């Protein structure tokens, strides 16, 4: 199983280009593999205790010195391997040292100031904002306030490590750990497949046995058919997904949902086939004469496929088309999910028609052989050729069956004018509620929805959302064409670029910016001001700073001959800037450089606000006056933020294309416009209900919801297609609306109820998985089943009745008007 958290990002998203450039920048030194250690206090909510900081420094030492990387020169720890950003965490060590000094000597001297965001320890200024988060400070009016509030302007491979401490909690975050946790979350669904299969197999066995017993067709083979109805979808998943992996598709964790979906769709087709077989068998026993087993078997199998084949084909094609449209979306993960589902649904169709159909033939042969032993042909019975082509009971059959009488009463109730009016009124209210919910669904996302609730990743994301994002949202600014930095005008242009970023409303300000040029300008000024000893005038000299900051003159290359940048980077105090700068080693010409700056605000916990901030950064980078610099911004969550603006358009576009394709397919099988209209309205209404109710249920439009949307649209086709096709076929036998509805419900009512209840029982097991992805899919499938069954068994019959009543009343009215006009003419003549 392979996962990449960026696979939900659209292919054309700007963040993909930004990430690629960011990675290319580090290619010279190897792509950086960051390990984030999130450390929180166990005692209260304060990390500024001696014990907490002591343990924090201990953690830093262990990570830096006790974890080794395999290199071409042998194992190396971080301190030995690091080429840039080596001193990134030194402010933490110095702050701890300052705490120890203040504890022993107090803070009443100029060399120690434990402030925020700038701390001074032994004369060295340290910027604490990249390391300390969730900071609260005492303001001038002696109030303690959070620095995330806009009122305070302070600024002008898998790593699993269990660190035990009584004072702090440590959470480790790496890319490989994120990937492993996504995989682990997906694998938790697999045991529930066994539970779902068991539930459906038991339920199918019970319902098959009950219906067979009621129709006096019960035998042990019915249990076999019930179990194999649940096996076929798993066979289809194994064949389709296995073939995909064989040709090179990756196994994403989202594909763990596919067996549940195919199981729900596949058993529906099997239920229809078995129900049709039992009704045809019942009819043949009553009215047919047969003495040849093979001929009778062929006749029944043929009649079964005549009745169920088209509706099964419609649902399969529309499901495949729905997922095919989903496969055109620009997100790799949704594409993978859609392709996997489309292949599995098609494979299930093939297995159902071939394998399950053949199994029914084998079982049917045993049943017919048993019938031939006990057959007593009644005089005057119909021959097989006189039987209805659909296997349905003709209108001349007596209504002595309690089941049929009950259905007849239901149909009379559904065709009542008052009942139709009430149903339409409730339908209008339902549409209003769902439209409001759909319109108000929020495009939002949260990566922690991809993980188990008990995962440390979720805890890290919560800490990050609460204590880091509102205080220090970092922006990486990559300048790929800096030009000649020896030119003061070019340096001024670069400075103006960075000041534009620092001038944005939520910027922390200049002190949060890591910009090498400012230190370089200071370096140039100091190099001009320093007085060199006379006896050393003929030597090549350069300037360095000692550890305590005093100036020392050492031999090197002379100033003023294009060597300033080289000497700047050789200066120990500024050597860390090598990690931010990419230069030509032979000419020391600057090729690219990175700048970091930070932003704050409590509103940034909302992903949509972070997306707006990202667009503000990009707007600065895209300004015409900076175009020659070739500026790119990078934000580590941009791969998610770019989704926010694309999710709604992509979802709407996918839905429209899916509905259009489903309408075309349905029109090929159902040529009667009113019936096609009812089927289309039902599919739209079902899908609308899923979106609207999910919105009211608290779901956001995120990548998981988009995947569930594609699934829901495809799944919502099944019940309306079965009902409308069978209703369309009854027109060949009768024109009475009540009789047509009765025949339709007899044909598909029990299989629809059977499939709906079994699917509901199966997906309910997913609610026990502590994974948001599983619960979103479970909710959507449950809603599709429940809403679809209500539409198929209540709404569609009512609309069919209304469409039949209105033309009849109009015809009757026109006849009365015609008769009245005729009488008037006769009176005038008289």
């Amino acid at each position: 199983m392979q996962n990449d958290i960026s696979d939900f990002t659209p292919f054309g998203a700007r963040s993909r280009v930004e990430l690629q450039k960011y990675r290319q920048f580090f290619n010279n030194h190897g792509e950086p593999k960051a390990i984030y250690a999130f450390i929180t206090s166990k005692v209260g909510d304060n990390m500024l205790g001696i014990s907490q900081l002591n343990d924090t420094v201990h953690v830093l030492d262990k990570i830096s010195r006790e974890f080794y990387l395999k290199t071409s020169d042998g194992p190396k720890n971080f301190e030995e391997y690091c080429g840039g950003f080596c001193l990134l965490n030194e402010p933490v060590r110095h702050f701890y040292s300052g705490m120890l000094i203040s504890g022993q000597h107090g803070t009443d001297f100029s060399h120690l100031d434990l402030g925020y965001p700038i701390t001074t320890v032994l004369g060295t200024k340290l910027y604490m904002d990249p390391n300390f988060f969730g900071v609260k400070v005492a303001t001038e009016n002696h109030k303690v306030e959070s620095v995330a509030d806009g009122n305070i302007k302070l600024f002008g491979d898998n790593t699993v490590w269990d660190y035990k401490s009584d004072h702090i909690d440590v959470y480790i975050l790496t890319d490989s750990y994120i990937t492993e946790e996504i995989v682990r979350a997906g694998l938790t669904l697999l045991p529930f497949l066994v539970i779902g299969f068991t539930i459906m197999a038991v339920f199918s066995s019970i319902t098959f046995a009950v219906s067979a017993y009621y129709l006096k067709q019960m035998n042990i083979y019915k249990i076999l058919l019930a179990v194999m109805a649940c096996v076929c979808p798993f066979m289809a998943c194994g064949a389709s997904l296995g073939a995909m992996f064989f040709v090179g598709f990756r196994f994403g964790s989202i594909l763990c949902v596919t067996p549940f979906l195919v199981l729900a769709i596949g058993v529906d087709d099997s239920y229809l086939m078995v129900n049709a077989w039992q009704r045809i068998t019942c009819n043949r026993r009553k009215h047919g004469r047969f003495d040849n087993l093979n001929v009778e078997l062929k006749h029944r199998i043929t009649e079964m496929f005549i009745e169920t084949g088209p509706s099964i084909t419609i649902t399969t094609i529309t499901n495949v088309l729905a997922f095919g449209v989903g496969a055109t979306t620009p997100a790799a993960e949704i594409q993978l999910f859609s392709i996997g589902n489309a292949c599995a649904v098609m494979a299930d169709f093939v297995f159902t028609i071939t394998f399950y159909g053949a199994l029914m033939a084998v079982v049917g042969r045993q049943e017919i052989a048993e019938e031939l032993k006990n057959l007593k042909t009644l005089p005057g019975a119909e021959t097989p050729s006189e039987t209805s082509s659909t296997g349905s009971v003709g209108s001349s059959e007596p209504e002595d069956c309690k089941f049929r009488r009950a259905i007849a009463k239901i149909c009379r109730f559904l065709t009542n004018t008052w009942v139709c009016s009430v149903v339409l009124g409730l339908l209008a209210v339902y549409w209003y509620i769902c439209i409001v919910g759909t319109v108000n669904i929020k495009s939002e996302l949260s990566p922690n929805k991809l993980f188990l609730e008990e995962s440390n990743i979720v805890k890290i994301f919560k800490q990050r959302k609460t204590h880091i994002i509102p205080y220090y949202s970092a922006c990486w600014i990559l300048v790929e064409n800096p030009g000649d930095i020896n030119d003061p005008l070019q340096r001024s242009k670069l400075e103006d670029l960075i000041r534009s970023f620092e001038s944005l409303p939520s910027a922390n300000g200049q002190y949060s910016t890591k910009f090498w040029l400012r230190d370089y300008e200071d370096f140039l000024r100091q190099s001009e001001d320093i007085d060199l000893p006379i006896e050393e005038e003929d030597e090549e000299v350069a300037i360095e700073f000692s550890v305590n900051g005093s100036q020392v003159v050492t031999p090197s290359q002379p100033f003023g001959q294009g060597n300033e940048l080289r000497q700047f980077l050789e200066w120990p105090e500024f050597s860390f800037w090598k990690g931010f700068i990419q230069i030509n080693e032979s000419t020391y010409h600057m090729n690219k450089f990175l700048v970091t700056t930070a932003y704050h605000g409590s509103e940034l916990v909302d992903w949509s606000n972070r997306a707006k901030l990202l667009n503000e950064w990009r707007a600065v980078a895209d300004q015409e006056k900076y175009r020659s610099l070739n500026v790119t911004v990078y934000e580590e969550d941009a791969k998610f933020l770019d989704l926010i603006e694309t999710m709604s358009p992509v979802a709407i576009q996918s839905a429209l294309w899916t509905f259009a394709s489903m309408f075309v397919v349905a029109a090929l099988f159902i040529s009667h416009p009113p019936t096609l209209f009812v089927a289309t309205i039902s599919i739209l209404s079902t899908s609308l209900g899923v979106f609207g109710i999910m919105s009211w249920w608290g779901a956001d439009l995120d990548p998981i919801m988009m995947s569930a949307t594609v699934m829901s649209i495809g799944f919502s086709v099944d019940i309306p297609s079965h009902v409308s096709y069978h209703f369309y076929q009854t027109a060949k036998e009768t024109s009475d609306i009540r009789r047509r509805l009765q025949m339709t419900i007899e044909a598909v009512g029990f299989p629809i109820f059977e499939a709906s209840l079994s699917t509901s029982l199966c997906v309910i097991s997913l609610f026990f998985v502590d994974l948001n992805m599983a619960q979103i899919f479970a909710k959507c499938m449950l809603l599709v089943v429940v809403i679809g069954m209500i539409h198929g068994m209540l709404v569609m019959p009512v609309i069919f009745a209304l469409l039949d009543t209105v033309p009849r009343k109009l015809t009757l009215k026109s006849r009365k008007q015609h008769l009245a006009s005729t009488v008037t003419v006769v009176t005038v003549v008289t």
Side-chain angles (χ1 to χ4, degrees):
M1 188 178 289
Q2 299 176 4
N3 288 274
D4 189 336
I5 201 168
S6 65
D7 282 332
F8 285 107
T9 307
F11 290 118
R14 186 167 174 173
S15 58
R16 286 186 176 270
V17 178
E18 294 166 348
L19 176 60
Q20 183 180 10
K21 290 184 177 182
Y22 173 78
R23 288 175 172 174
Q24 287 175 349
F25 179 84
F26 290 97
N27 278 347
N28 289 347
H29 306 289
E31 183 183 324
K33 299 294 185 183
I35 298 178
Y36 295 94
F38 293 87
I39 303 176
T40 61
S41 175
K42 283 185 175 180
V43 183
D45 193 27
N46 187 12
M47 279 294 299
L48 298 182
I50 294 296
S51 299
Q52 284 85 349
L53 288 173
N54 176 69
D55 288 353
T56 299
V57 171
H58 186 52
V59 169
L60 182 57
D61 290 340
K62 290 179 70 68
I63 294 178
S64 301
R65 299 166 186 170
E66 298 184 14
F67 285 85
Y68 286 83
L69 301 172
K70 293 181 180 179
T71 70
S72 57
D73 298 327
K76 292 184 177 181
N77 62 25
F78 175 77
E79 292 182 350
E80 297 169 333
Y81 177 80
C82 177
F85 303 100
C86 305
L87 305 178
L88 192 64
N89 300 300
E90 287 306 297
V92 178
R93 298 183 191 271
H94 288 301
F95 190 91
Y96 173 58
S97 300
M99 290 285 288
L100 294 178
I101 294 172
S102 66
Q104 296 175 0
H105 306 288
T107 58
D108 296 331
F109 54 94
S110 59
H111 294 291
L112 182 62
D113 178 15
L114 302 181
Y116 183 90
I118 300 174
T119 286
T120 302
V121 178
L122 300 179
T124 302
K125 286 187 177 181
L126 306 167
Y127 298 97
M128 307 307 303
D129 49 312
N131 297 95
F132 285 2
F133 307 105
V135 176
K136 295 181 180 180
V137 297
T139 59
E140 293 180 356
N141 55 4
H142 304 291
K143 290 184 178 180
V144 176
E145 300 186 31
S146 168
V147 298
D149 297 335
N151 301 326
I152 302 179
K153 302 296 183 183
L154 288 174
F155 305 96
D157 316 315
N158 176 34
T159 303
V160 179
W161 181 41
D162 191 9
Y163 181 82
K164 299 295 185 182
S165 169
D166 295 331
H167 309 105
I168 61 174
D169 290 316
V170 183
Y171 304 101
I172 300 298
L173 181 65
T174 67
D175 288 342
S176 57
Y177 185 38
I178 290 175
T179 299
E180 180 170 311
E181 285 297 283
I182 295 177
V183 171
R184 187 169 73 92
L187 291 176
T188 57
L189 295 176
L190 298 183
F192 288 88
L193 281 176
V194 179
I195 298 174
F197 173 82
T198 303
I199 292 174
M200 295 197 77
V202 172
F203 179 83
S204 299
S205 300
I206 294 173
T207 54
F208 275 39
V210 170
S211 61
Y213 178 80
Y214 179 80
L215 296 174
K216 297 181 174 56
Q217 299 178 29
M218 180 58 191
N219 54 61
I220 192 62
Y221 303 117
K222 298 298 182 183
I223 306 301
L224 175 63
L225 288 176
V227 175
M228 295 310 296
C230 302
V231 171
C232 261
F234 282 172
M235 292 173 58
C237 288
S240 58
L241 298 183
M244 286 176 58
F245 304 150
F246 183 78
V247 299
F249 284 88
R250 64 180 177 85
F251 184 16
S253 59
I254 196 171
L255 289 177
C256 293
V257 179
T258 298
F260 290 94
L261 175 62
V262 179
L263 183 61
I265 295 175
V267 295
D268 190 12
D269 297 339
S270 300
Y271 290 165
L272 281 173
M273 292 170 62
V274 171
N275 186 69
W277 171 273
Q278 291 185 159
R279 287 187 298 103
I280 293 169
T281 299
C282 183
N283 191 42
R284 295 292 293 174
R285 286 179 178 179
K286 290 182 178 179
H287 301 287
R289 291 183 177 181
F290 53 89
D291 52 14
N292 187 296
L293 188 152
N294 291 330
V295 172
E296 181 63 18
L297 176 63
K298 180 179 178 180
H299 176 78
R300 295 188 188 183
I301 288 289
T302 301
E303 292 296 319
M304 179 193 70
F305 278 121
I306 288 175
E307 180 174 346
T308 62
S311 62
I312 292 175
T313 305
I314 291 174
T315 57
T316 300
I317 294 177
T318 51
N319 276 314
V320 170
L321 284 176
F323 291 121
V325 172
T328 64
T329 57
E333 197 74 2
I334 299 178
Q335 281 189 355
L336 178 66
F337 177 71
S338 300
I339 293 172
N341 288 337
C343 293
V345 169
M346 181 57 71
D348 181 67
F349 173 76
V350 173
F351 276 120
T352 300
I353 296 297
T354 56
F355 173 78
Y356 197 74
L359 181 63
M360 290 186 66
V362 173
V363 172
R365 179 181 295 276
Q366 300 297 323
E367 292 182 354
I368 295 172
E370 188 68 24
E371 290 174 20
L372 287 174
K373 293 181 181 179
N374 305 318
L375 182 63
K376 296 181 180 179
T377 305
L378 298 176
E382 290 184 11
T383 62
S385 60
E386 296 172 327
T387 310
S388 165
S389 62
T390 63
S392 301
V393 181
S395 59
S396 61
E397 183 178 347
E399 296 284 341
D400 56 353
C401 176
K402 292 182 180 180
F403 177 70
R404 293 195 179 95
R405 286 202 301 269
I407 293 179
K409 290 181 179 179
I410 293 174
C411 293
R412 285 196 295 271
F413 176 78
L414 293 176
T415 55
N416 181 276
T417 303
W418 289 104
V419 173
C420 292
S421 301
V422 171
V423 171
L424 288 181
L426 294 175
L427 184 63
V429 174
Y430 159 81
W431 281 346
Y432 174 78
I433 294 173
C434 293
I435 290 174
V436 171
T438 301
V439 170
N440 292 326
I441 192 169
K442 187 178 181 181
S443 295
E444 192 61 90
L445 53 88
S446 180
N448 60 348
K449 293 181 179 179
L450 300 174
F451 307 97
L452 294 171
E453 189 63 30
E454 48 88 18
S455 171
N456 280 341
I457 299 290
V458 175
K459 298 176 183 177
I460 291 172
F461 283 154
K462 288 181 178 179
Q463 293 286 346
R464 184 168 172 262
K465 178 179 179 180
T466 304
H467 294 122
I468 298 180
I469 297 300
Y471 301 89
Y472 193 86
S473 293
C475 172
W476 294 71
I477 306 164
L478 173 63
V479 180
E480 295 188 278
N481 186 28
D484 183 8
I485 63 168
N486 292 320
D487 182 358
L489 293 178
Q490 188 68 11
R491 294 203 301 269
S492 176
K493 187 176 184 179
L494 294 173
E495 177 67 30
D496 183 64
L497 168 68
I498 304 306
R499 288 193 181 277
S500 297
F501 281 96
E502 294 172 342
S503 300
L504 293 176
S506 56
N508 286 359
Q510 178 176 338
Y511 292 107
S512 71
T513 303
K514 308 298 180 290
F515 186 23
W516 66 273
L517 184 59
R518 290 169 180 167
D519 278 354
Y520 183 66
E521 294 277 9
D522 291 340
F523 171 82
L524 293 179
R525 284 192 294 268
Q526 292 173 8
S527 65
E528 293 173 356
D529 295 340
I530 192 169
D531 294 325
L532 300 180
I534 297 177
E535 60 272 20
E536 295 181 355
E537 287 182 352
D538 294 333
E539 296 184 11
E540 296 179 346
V541 294
I543 303 172
E544 291 184 359
F545 269 78
S546 65
V547 176
N548 62 2
S550 60
Q551 297 178 348
V552 179
V553 180
T554 58
S556 183
Q557 295 183 344
F559 289 110
Q561 298 182 9
N563 300 307
E564 291 86 351
L565 182 59
R566 180 194 299 271
Q567 295 172 2
F568 170 73
L569 296 177
E570 289 177 352
W571 203 347
E573 186 172 324
F574 297 138
S575 61
F576 72 94
W577 286 121
K578 293 179 181 179
F580 290 82
I581 297 174
Q582 188 177 102
I583 58 176
N584 186 312
E585 295 292 341
S586 60
T587 64
Y588 250 69
H589 173 76
M590 182 172 295
N591 297 328
K592 305 175 184 178
F593 68 82
L594 271 175
V595 178
T596 66
T597 189
Y599 298 79
H600 72 286
S602 56
E603 72 279 359
L604 294 180
V605 298
D606 191 330
W607 283 78
S608 56
N609 288 329
R610 292 183 63 194
K612 294 177 183 177
L613 179 60
L614 175 61
N615 289 331
E616 291 179 7
W617 299 346
R618 289 170 173 170
V620 173
D622 293 340
Q623 290 183 27
E624 184 64 31
K625 60 181 178 180
Y626 305 132
R627 192 172 298 276
S628 62
L629 299 176
N630 195 5
V631 182
T632 302
V633 296
Y634 172 75
E635 213 272 11
E636 60 183 357
D637 288 329
K639 53 184 173 288
F640 301 116
L641 299 175
D642 276 348
L643 270 171
I644 294 178
E645 295 182 352
T646 62
M647 282 189 294
S648 293
V650 168
I652 293 173
Q653 181 180 355
S654 299
L656 292 177
W657 278 108
T658 303
F659 288 133
S661 61
M662 288 189 298
F663 178 82
V664 172
V665 173
L668 295 176
F669 288 87
I670 305 172
S671 58
H672 187 238
T675 305
L676 184 61
F677 168 77
V678 175
T680 304
I681 288 295
S682 297
I683 294 171
L684 288 171
S685 181
T686 302
S687 300
L688 180 65
V690 174
F691 307 150
I693 295 176
M694 285 298 293
S695 176
W696 288 112
W697 208 336
D700 295 322
L701 185 58
D702 56 17
I704 299 298
M705 186 60 190
M706 286 180 65
S707 303
T709 296
V710 174
M711 176 204 72
S712 300
I713 295 174
F715 201 14
S716 65
V717 178
D718 289 17
I719 293 177
S721 296
H722 292 316
V723 173
S724 57
Y725 177 77
H726 281 82
F727 180 80
Y728 170 66
Q729 291 295 311
T730 58
K732 299 177 182 179
E733 300 188 22
T734 180
S735 60
D736 180 72
I737 184 63
R738 290 181 180 176
R739 185 64 185 141
R740 292 182 66 186
L741 290 176
Q742 180 181 346
M743 294 169 65
T744 302
I745 295 175
E746 287 178 1
V748 299
F750 185 74
I752 287 176
F753 170 78
E754 196 176 19
S756 300
L757 189 54
S758 62
T759 302
S760 300
L761 292 174
C762 176
V763 301
I764 283 176
S765 62
L766 291 179
F767 285 99
F768 296 97
V769 184
D770 201 11
L771 178 64
N772 180 269
M773 178 177 70
Q775 296 189 12
I776 289 292
F777 280 107
K779 290 176 182 178
C780 286
M781 292 177 70
L782 188 62
L783 287 174
V784 170
V785 168
V786 174
I787 298 174
M789 185 174 67
I790 293 174
H791 277 71
M793 295 291 100
L794 178 62
V795 176
M796 292 181 70
V798 165
I799 299 178
F800 281 136
L802 288 174
L803 292 177
D804 178 77
T805 302
V806 173
R808 284 193 294 105
K809 288 187 175 181
L810 291 176
T811 302
L812 180 61
K813 183 177 181 180
S814 63
R815 287 179 180 176
K816 289 182 179 180
Q817 290 176 347
H818 177 71
L819 181 59
S821 63
T822 303
V823 172
T824 303
V825 170
V826 173
T827 303
V828 171
V829 172
T830 301

